[in-house]
């Protein structure tokens, strides 16, 4: 049986075709090759403005490469950037160790790895990101699948003292409607670790397109939802033993962001927090021991 050859990447196709293209399309092609991330996140009109080219030249470039139009080439570039993850969790799993204390040993190793990872988190980077949150008109928090709980935690803590300014992306309806509401004076927090959800990458791109401040909480600098971020807060997900990556660092970062943002809010933040506490007390949200 004939072996199926893997399809070449769109960037390789582009670079191979450059010498045979007209001079103007060569210039546009070199721009796309040098700015492939922008090509997947910005509109064709924006790209043309930065490149100093006619928007239609991007369509002509795509057709010269055999695509139906710019949208198809852009989709191919986006797909090529997506990391392959066949077994992200089961691939981490290891056989149970032998011995009477094997389970305790695993717990100890995990706790040690978590502590070491926390020690390597950048406190100055968190403080800078918190200042961006404090200055933002509105704050959007985005986390999906296993990162949803961290996003909800950060949203909850921030809303205790900024109830009108903080929203969970996709919390009250389709996430794409929230993407359309992003504005340049907003801050968008995106959480993720490998394998990255498609919607987290789309949220980061929507933040870029809106000109909002992007804060990425990620496991690596090369994460697709972290590219071009104004603030990158790294945590260690893969170093901890166990079948599932660790969220301990992400939780620590989220709680630190909330704590610093609160202190930056000063007396106004404290008054809002006291009002929230008073409302919770009136509604008897917490159990009180009688007697």
């Amino acid at each position: 049986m004939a072996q199926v050859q893997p399809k070449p990447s769109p960037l390789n196709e582009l670079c191979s075709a450059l010498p045979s293209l007209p001079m103007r399309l060569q210039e546009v092609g070199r721009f796309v090759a040098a700015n492939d991330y922008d090509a997947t996140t910005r509109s064709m009109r924006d790209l043309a403005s930065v490149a100093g080219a006619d928007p239609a030249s991007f369509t002509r470039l795509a057709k010269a490469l055999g695509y139906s139009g710019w949208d198809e080439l852009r989709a191919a570039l986006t797909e090529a950037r997506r990391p392959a993850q066949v077994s992200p969790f089961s691939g981490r799993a290891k056989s149970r160790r032998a011995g009477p204390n094997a389970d305790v040993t695993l717990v100890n190793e995990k706790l040690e790895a978590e502590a070491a990872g926390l020690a390597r988190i950048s406190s100055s980077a968190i403080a800078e990101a918190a200042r961006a949150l404090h200055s933002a008109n509105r704050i959007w928090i985005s986390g999906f699948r296993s990162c949803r709980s961290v996003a909800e935690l950060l949203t909850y803590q921030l809303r205790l003292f900024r109830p009108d300014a903080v929203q969970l992306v996709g919390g009250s309806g389709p996430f794409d409607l929230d993407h359309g509401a992003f504005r340049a004076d907003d801050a968008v927090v995106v959480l993720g670790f490998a394998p990255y959800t498609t919607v987290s990458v789309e949220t980061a791109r929507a933040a870029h397109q809106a000109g909002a401040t992007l804060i990425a909480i990620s496991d690596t600098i090369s994460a697709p939802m972290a590219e071009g971020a104004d603030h990158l807060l790294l945590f260690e997900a893969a170093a901890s033993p166990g079948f599932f990556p660790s969220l301990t660092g992400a939780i620590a970062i989220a709680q630190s962001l909330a704590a610093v943002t609160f202190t930056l809010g000063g007396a106004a933040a404290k008054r809002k927090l006291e009002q929230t506490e008073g409302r919770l007390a009136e509604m008897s949200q917490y159990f009180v021991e009688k007697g």
Side-chain angles (χ1 to χ4, degrees):
M1 180 181 294
Q3 194 172 24
V4 178
Q5 295 297 319
K7 185 178 180 181
S9 76
L11 278 181
N12 287 343
E13 290 180 330
L14 172 59
C15 293
S16 298
L18 280 177
S20 62
L21 296 177
M23 186 61 66
R24 189 60 185 134
L25 288 188
Q26 285 188 31
E27 294 175 2
V28 175
R30 291 192 184 96
F31 174 83
V32 171
N35 300 274
D36 63 307
Y37 173 69
D38 286 342
T40 64
T41 59
R42 304 182 67 173
S43 69
M44 186 167 65
R45 188 173 298 277
D46 286 345
L47 291 172
S49 177
V50 175
D54 180 0
S57 62
F58 286 84
T59 298
R60 290 195 294 271
L61 172 66
K63 289 184 175 180
L65 297 175
Y67 295 90
S68 62
W70 173 249
D71 286 343
E72 187 179 0
L73 174 55
R74 177 180 176 177
L77 290 168
T78 301
E79 186 61 29
R81 296 181 65 86
R82 199 187 311 279
Q85 292 285 346
V86 179
S87 54
F89 308 133
S90 62
R92 288 172 50 90
K94 297 180 181 179
S95 300
R96 187 173 183 270
R97 296 180 182 181
N101 296 318
D103 299 335
V104 174
T105 299
L106 175 58
V107 173
N108 287 334
E109 290 177 351
K110 187 165 180 58
L111 292 175
E112 289 172 3
E114 304 285 12
L118 290 176
R120 287 189 280 269
I121 292 175
S122 172
S123 55
S124 60
I126 295 174
E128 290 177 7
R131 285 191 282 271
L133 291 181
H134 171 67
S135 301
N137 182 46
R138 294 180 303 173
I139 300 171
W140 300 86
I141 315 295
S142 174
F144 301 93
R145 298 187 70 83
S146 58
C147 288
R148 191 66 167 183
S149 60
V150 186
E152 290 176 345
L153 173 65
L154 180 56
T155 300
Y156 174 72
Q157 292 192 13
L158 290 174
R159 290 199 67 185
L160 288 172
F161 59 92
R162 289 191 66 176
D164 301 325
V166 183
Q167 294 288 336
L168 181 68
V169 174
S172 59
F175 63 83
D176 56 288
L177 295 181
D178 291 334
H179 289 176
F182 293 170
R183 297 293 180 265
D185 55 358
D186 293 347
V188 179
V189 180
V190 181
L191 296 113
F193 64 87
Y196 309 99
T197 60
T198 300
V199 67
S200 67
V201 180
E202 292 174 348
T203 300
R205 290 172 180 166
H208 279 296
Q209 291 171 353
T213 298
L214 176 61
I215 300 172
I217 303 176
S218 174
D219 60 335
T220 174
I221 194 172
S222 61
M225 30 70 68
E227 292 187 65
D230 299 282
H231 301 273
L232 177 57
L233 310 178
L234 295 173
F235 68 95
E236 295 185 13
S240 176
F243 80 95
F244 201 86
S246 172
L247 281 168
T248 301
I251 293 171
I253 289 172
Q255 298 206 120
S256 298
L257 279 173
V260 178
T261 305
F262 174 75
T263 60
L264 291 170
K270 186 177 181 181
R271 282 196 301 272
K272 279 290 186 182
L273 180 59
E274 289 171 343
Q275 291 170 5
T276 300
E277 289 175 324
R279 187 174 63 255
L280 291 173
E282 289 176 3
M283 297 173 66
S284 300
Q285 289 295 303
Y286 298 114
F287 178 77
V288 177
E289 188 75 41
K290 296 180 179 180

